[in-house]
Structure formats: C-alpha cells, structure tokens
Amino acid sequence: MLITSKSSVQEDGDVVTIKKSESEIKVHKYGATIISWKHKGREMLYVSPLAKLDGSKAIRGGIPIVFPRFGPSPLFPNQQHGFARNSKWRLCAAGGDECVQFKLAWKKEQFEPAGELVLSLKIGDNDELILSLTPKFDKEDAEYHVLLHSYFLAADARVEGLESFYYGNKQEEYQKQLPTNQPLQNVVGLDRMYFDVESKVFLKNSQGVELVLESEGVSDVVVWNPGKEMADVPAQDIHKFVCIEHGFVSKLQTEPRTFSVSYKVNQRMI
Ligand code: TA6
C-alpha cells in the first residue's frame, strides 16, 4: 500500500483503490477505467452488471477514456472511440500533489505519432474527483480527440448548465442547432453534443443528489443515454444512468495539452 500524506493507494491485481477523507475511487487498469466513485459510502457511477472486466471488451460504465478518436474511425476499424479504453494501463505510483498516475504508451505502428497518455487522479480538499489527461507525442504533428465518457448513476436526471450553448444531435450528424434555453429533463435516448461549453454542468437526480461537473476551460460536452437495451446493458437499467462526457471531440486537437475535469458532490443536497 502506498500512503501519501492524506490518501491511501492500494493495488489489488488489476484494481487500484484510492481513499481520502469521505471518498473512495476504484480504477481498473483495463482502460484505466474508474469503476467506482463513492462519496460518504454512496456510489456516484453506473457500471453495468453485464460489463466485461476481463479485457475482452471496453468496460460498460464508470469512466472510460476516449482517445485518440471519438466515434468510429477508419484508423481503428474495430475500435470505436479509440484504443485507450481497450488497453491495459500502468500504475505509476503516487505522484506529487496527492496525484495517482496511470500511463499508456503506444508505438507508431498503432497510432502515429508514437507517444503516451497520462491519467492523473486526485481527490481534492473538498472531496471532489479531479481527473487530468495529458497526451505526449514523439512528433509535433499529432491530431487527436480526448473525452471522459462518464456514466453517472442518476435516475430521472435533470441536467442544467448546457442550455445556453449550441448543440448537435448525432442523428443529424451533429449539425449545429441554436441553444434551447431549457434544462434537460429527459435524457433517455438522447445522443447530443454541446459545443464550446464554458459553464459548470449540474446533474440532479430524483434522490436529491447534485453533481457539479466542471472542466478547466472550454470543452465539448456529450450527453448520451442508449434509450434501449444493449448487449451489455440490461433493459431495466436504461433509466438508471446518463453519460455526461467532457472532452475535445468536435474538432481534432493539434496541440498536446492537459485536459482536466472535476466532479463534485454538492453537499447541501444530501
Ligand atoms: O458518446 C456517445 C456515443 O458516441 C454514442 O453515440 C454511443 O454510441 C456511445 O458513445 C457508446 O458507444 P460504445 O462504443 O461504448 O457502445
């Protein structure tokens, strides 16, 4: 067990548990997917009971990482959303500043240019979950997408904070629409991307929990719920979760830069 000044990090096979104060997170090395985030003992993330945890498929639920392409890409014919969520990552000990880091390196035969992606995780002083992704490339001409495909447990979710931004629906190939100026009340079956979001996103569920989701600087935000059962999501679970996904996916990024988000449980609502 590694002990930093305030948090503990325990490795048990492919699962790494990080605890601090009232928070506990579990990260599966397959995809460096966060498979649990508990605040005061209460789970905040959805992981499907049908999720594969044996590396045969991207883990359905938690917080998978989309990189270096969002959606289908001719670069990765059998890997929608890139290879990061389908690869085994390395735990690189606890870093400074209470950070725990995971790394994924790839060769140019897999994706050009070669490089590595670093995930840094931290439980902040207000019990918030802080995630940063830093790509490093061997050459300057890299083009990539990056996104945290987070599945939040949120029955009857109401989503606020996105209403003043332009958006596009996947069914309309993300063609830009005017802001709705209305919070999202029903997310079941929605597959939508909000562009250049500058605001915090508030996710409220019917149990009175409010999550505050914030990226450092502007980002795209995808809101998705499958609306119907999937091979690894049972029909009775469709109303249990919504994906709210921060990242850079509407355009390819050309500058390697760190992308950070923080997720916080609003204490007053509990
Ligand atoms: O992020 C939204 C999305 O791209 C949806 O269009 C939907 O297909 C989803 O991700 C899930 O993709 P997956 O490859 O995990 O089945």
Side-chain angles (χ1 to χ4, degrees):
M1 186 192 307
L2 295 163
I3 310 258
T4 63
S5 58
K6 291 188 204 137
S7 51
S8 72
V9 182
Q10 192 153 23
E11 198 175 350
D12 181 9
D14 281 342
V15 177
V16 177
T17 304
I18 304 159
K19 288 185 189 171
K20 180 180 162 187
S21 173
E22 311 243 49
S23 300
E24 180 190 275
I25 55 180
K26 286 189 185 291
V27 187
H28 201 293
K29 288 184 194 166
Y30 187 65
T33 310
I34 298 181
I35 51 170
S36 170
W37 168 34
K38 283 189 182 153
H39 178 73
K40 294 186 177 169
R42 189 173 195 157
E43 182 59 59
M44 296 294 149
L45 302 177
Y46 170 80
V47 176
S48 170
L50 304 179
K52 302 273 185 217
L53 298 173
D54 59 1
S56 59
K57 193 171 189 227
I59 295 172
R60 176 66 67 196
I63 310 183
I65 295 166
V66 170
F67 176 88
R69 287 294 185 277
F70 174 74
S73 161
L75 291 179
F76 313 107
N78 303 313
Q79 283 181 326
Q80 142 131 317
H81 293 331
F83 57 80
R85 66 178 187 163
N86 294 312
S87 306
K88 191 154 174 185
W89 291 53
R90 219 161 27 90
L91 170 67
C92 296
D97 193 29
E98 297 289 325
C99 258
V100 179
Q101 291 193 327
F102 291 81
K103 285 188 186 171
L104 174 68
W106 65 89
K107 299 208 163 81
K108 68 175 181 358
E109 290 73 23
Q110 188 173 13
F111 178 61
E112 181 101 60
E116 69 173 16
L117 185 60
V118 180
L119 169 70
S120 302
L121 291 174
K122 181 176 164 176
I123 297 167
D125 289 338
N126 297 311
D127 265 327
E128 70 274 36
L129 172 56
I130 303 169
L131 303 109
S132 299
L133 285 165
T134 307
K136 296 174 185 171
F137 300 102
D138 282 0
K139 288 194 205 148
E140 276 182 8
D141 56 349
E143 291 190 325
Y144 67 98
H145 294 141
V146 65
L147 171 118
L148 291 159
H149 201 299
S150 309
Y151 290 69
F152 294 104
L153 258 182
D156 311 317
R158 178 183 161 98
V159 184
E160 294 174 11
L162 295 168
E163 52 274 12
S164 57
F165 299 98
Y166 286 86
Y167 70 94
N169 293 317
K170 185 177 177 185
Q171 297 91 310
E172 291 139 20
E173 295 173 352
Y174 302 113
Q175 209 185 323
K176 224 175 209 182
Q177 309 283 332
L178 288 171
T180 62
N181 295 316
Q182 295 293 329
L184 275 172
Q185 294 275 23
N186 180 11
V187 294
V188 174
L190 197 72
D191 196 347
R192 179 175 288 182
M193 187 185 296
Y194 289 86
F195 306 108
D196 302 324
V197 173
E198 290 172 350
S199 145
K200 293 179 183 172
V201 179
F202 300 88
L203 173 59
K204 300 177 183 192
N205 75 13
S206 57
Q207 284 94 50
V209 176
E210 182 183 74
L211 291 177
V212 185
L213 318 174
E214 189 174 11
S215 80
E216 205 172 84
V218 173
S219 90
D220 300 315
V221 177
V222 176
V223 180
W224 175 68
N225 169 286
K228 56 180 183 338
E229 72 180 312
M230 299 175 74
D232 52 4
V233 180
Q236 66 269 22
D237 279 15
I238 296 307
H239 292 264
K240 292 186 182 167
F241 71 92
V242 59
C243 291
I244 302 197
E245 314 163 22
H246 284 75
F248 297 120
V249 286
S250 58
K251 301 185 241 352
L252 282 164
Q253 294 299 298
T254 49
E255 294 293 324
R257 57 170 163 154
T258 296
F259 171 67
S260 298
V261 296
S262 80
Y263 299 152
K264 184 171 177 319
V265 181
N266 192 341
Q267 309 272 354
R268 286 168 300 167
M269 299 295 291
I270 294 181

